[in-house]
């Protein structure tokens, strides 16, 4: 079959909407008709050459749609199911999967940087040219093929436009609060960077019954949204913001700090804002090849530091739970979406992202 997809042929050039061909499904494949796909900063990193991937490639890893077809050995997903795609499918049998660390799944970590599915192969082509997959999803397209472990069934009433967000930014932020930091009720929490991940870390802190949730960002509009998501205090980023954090936390600093901005300066601020004996969870990221420098003294004091990429996600467990909490009105997702665009407007969406405007632009797919 043929379908439309946004293809990146060369870094720092616009994506091109082209008609690709899809190969026959393999035993564990799930074909998803995509209805909504979120634009994430990680996509932009590939476009700008900061995150090297083989080209041509179809980007996108926040996808929500309906299962169109399944391979002969698929057991947990059926045609007609509404699914959120997970960018971290797993084999279930390798060294790390057996140790309950599916995010480190060996076939995944081996093959996804090569632009392949976890079996080491592509299913897309443009004429005779193979086209690569991104994060084993490639949701900026009318259809995508994912492994069975990457197609997570959610409630049929979950809207597609918010469903796609669960697959990355929402899971990463909420999961970091609930599964990684395991915030204790009454804690003081600082979130640095009020983008999609930071706003959901705020939601996770609120769900954990944190006492103070202090959001820091340089954008006043994002701080307004942070309040809606559950922040008790908002601080505009400036040279004295650390002192403001200390003033709000009786001079100690926060019990838990989430770094969600991905800059050397904010990593240092995060360390300084963490109290002795406290915990820092680094969620933001810079270019993979960059070195960072930090003040050694800020590491002292028995601080616990962890880097998390997916908020401790167990998608089969966590995606349906987040979807249900949204449907119950206990998690906010609509507020994350600034604008919906067509697939043909995808380059406009990424240009807007470059200027740091808004939280999430979502592609509303036509068929």
């Amino acid at each position: 079959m043929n379908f439309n997809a946004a293809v990146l042929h060369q870094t720092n050039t616009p994506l091109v909407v082209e008609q690709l061909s899809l190969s026959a499904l393999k035993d564990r494949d799930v074909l998803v008709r995509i209805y909504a796909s979120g634009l994430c900063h990680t996509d932009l990193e590939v476009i700008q050459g900061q995150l090297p991937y083989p080209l041509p490639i179809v980007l996108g890893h926040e996808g929500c749609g309906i299962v169109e077809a399944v391979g002969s050995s698929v057991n947990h997903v059926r045609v007609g199911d509404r699914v959120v795609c997970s960018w971290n499918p797993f084999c279930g049998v390798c060294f790390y999967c057996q140790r309950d660390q599916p995010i480190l799944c060996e076939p995944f970590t081996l093959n996804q940087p090569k632009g392949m599915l976890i079996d080491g192969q592509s299913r897309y082509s443009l004429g005779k040219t193979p086209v690569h997959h991104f994060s084993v999803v490639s949701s900026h397209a009318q259809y995508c093929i994912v492994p069975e472990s990457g197609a997570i069934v959610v409630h049929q009433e979950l809207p597609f436009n918010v469903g796609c967000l669960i697959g990355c930014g929402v899971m990463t932020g909420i999961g970091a609060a609930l599964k990684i930091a395991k915030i204790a009720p009454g804690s003081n929490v600082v979130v640095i960077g009020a983008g999609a991940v930071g706003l959901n870390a705020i939601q996770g802190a609120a769900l954990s019954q944190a006492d103070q949730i202090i959001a820091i960002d340089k954008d006043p509009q994002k701080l307004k949204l942070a309040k809606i998501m559950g922040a008790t205090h908002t601080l505009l980023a400036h040279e004295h913001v650390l002192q403001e954090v200390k003033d709000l936390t009786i001079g100690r600093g926060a019990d838990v700090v989430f770094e969600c901005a991905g800059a050397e300066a904010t990593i240092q601020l995060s360390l300084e804002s963490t109290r002795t004996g406290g915990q820092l969870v680094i969620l933001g990221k810079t270019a993979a090849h960059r070195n960072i420098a930090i003040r050694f003294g800020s590491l002292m004091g028995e601080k616990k530091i962890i880097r998390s990429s997916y908020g401790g996600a167990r998608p089969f467990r966590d995606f349906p739970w987040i979807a249900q909490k949204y449907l119950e009105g206990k998690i906010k997702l609509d507020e994350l979406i600034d604008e919906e665009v067509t697939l043909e407007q995808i380059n406009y969406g990424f240009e807007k992202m470059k200027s740091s405007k808004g939280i999430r632009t979502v592609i509303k797919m036509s068929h």
Side-chain angles (χ1 to χ4, degrees), residues 166-332:
I166 294 174
C168 183
V170 174
M171 180 68 247
T172 300
I174 291 179
L178 299 180
K179 308 297 182 183
I180 301 299
K182 299 179 180 177
I183 298 170
S187 296
N188 293 329
V189 175
V190 167
V191 177
I192 300 176
V197 172
L199 291 170
N200 284 291
I202 289 169
Q203 291 209 83
L207 288 168
S208 301
Q209 302 177 51
D211 184 18
Q212 290 190 115
I213 305 171
I214 304 165
I216 301 174
D217 201 281
K218 60 185 178 181
D219 185 342
Q221 293 303 120
K222 290 181 179 179
L223 291 177
K224 288 181 181 179
L225 188 51
K227 274 279 192 182
I228 294 172
M229 294 301 198
T232 60
H233 300 76
T234 57
L235 302 177
L236 199 60
H238 59 80
E239 60 181 328
H240 301 299
V241 72
L242 175 60
Q243 186 57 53
E244 293 181 343
V245 170
K246 292 294 181 71
D247 291 343
L248 287 169
T249 55
I250 324 176
R252 293 193 187 98
D255 302 304
V256 180
V257 176
F258 295 97
E259 196 289 319
C260 306
E264 187 171 317
T266 54
I267 292 173
Q268 184 63 61
L269 174 61
S270 300
L271 281 165
E272 305 280 1
S273 300
T274 306
R275 68 164 172 82
T276 56
Q279 182 176 189
L280 167 60
V281 181
I282 299 175
L283 301 174
K285 54 192 175 72
T286 63
H289 65 276
R290 281 192 59 189
N291 294 324
I292 61 171
I294 56 176
R295 186 178 69 82
F296 184 77
S298 62
L299 295 170
M300 307 304 286
E302 304 301 313
K303 297 178 182 179
K304 180 180 179 181
I305 302 168
I306 188 167
R307 159 69 184 166
S308 176
S309 296
Y310 211 6
R314 299 295 183 271
F316 287 110
R317 173 196 68 193
D318 297 330
F319 287 12
W321 180 84
I322 292 172
Q324 185 61 40
K325 291 299 179 185
Y326 164 80
L327 292 171
E328 294 172 0
K330 296 177 181 177
I331 288 177
K332 301 179 187 297

Side-chain angles (χ1 to χ4, degrees), residues 319-356:
F319 287 12
W321 180 84
I322 292 172
Q324 185 61 40
K325 291 299 179 185
Y326 164 80
L327 292 171
E328 294 172 0
K330 296 177 181 177
I331 288 177
K332 301 179 187 297
L333 298 180
D334 298 272
E335 292 81 356
L336 301 170
I337 300 172
D338 310 295
E339 189 174 2
E340 292 185 353
V341 299
T342 65
L343 185 61
E344 288 71 23
Q345 294 172 308
I346 190 170
N347 291 304
Y348 156 76
F350 281 119
E351 286 300 317
K352 188 175 78 167
M353 185 184 293
K354 289 178 185 178
S355 63
S356 298

Side-chain angles (χ1 to χ4, degrees), residues 38-51:
L39 303 190
C40 178
H41 200 273
T42 306
D43 301 330
L44 184 60
E45 291 174 16
V46 180
I47 293 170
Q48 295 178 326
Q50 297 173 348
L51 185 60

Side-chain angles (χ1 to χ4, degrees), residues 106-187:
E106 289 174 315
F108 170 78
T109 55
L110 172 66
N111 291 305
Q112 92 62 37
K114 299 176 182 178
M116 301 296 175
L117 298 184
I118 60 175
D119 65 359
Q121 299 178 30
S122 170
R123 308 288 193 271
Y124 305 152
S125 60
L126 179 61
K128 295 183 178 180
T129 303
V131 176
H132 297 89
H133 300 253
F134 179 60
S135 281
V136 202
V137 177
S138 292
S139 58
H140 298 336
Q142 291 177 312
Y143 291 87
C144 72
I145 288 181
V146 297
E148 182 177 12
S149 59
I152 313 302
V153 179
V154 293
H155 199 290
Q156 290 284 351
E157 293 182 8
L158 182 71
F160 295 112
N161 61 344
V162 297
C164 68
L165 306 182
I166 294 174
C168 183
V170 174
M171 180 68 247
T172 300
I174 291 179
L178 299 180
K179 308 297 182 183
I180 301 299
K182 299 179 180 177
I183 298 170
S187 296

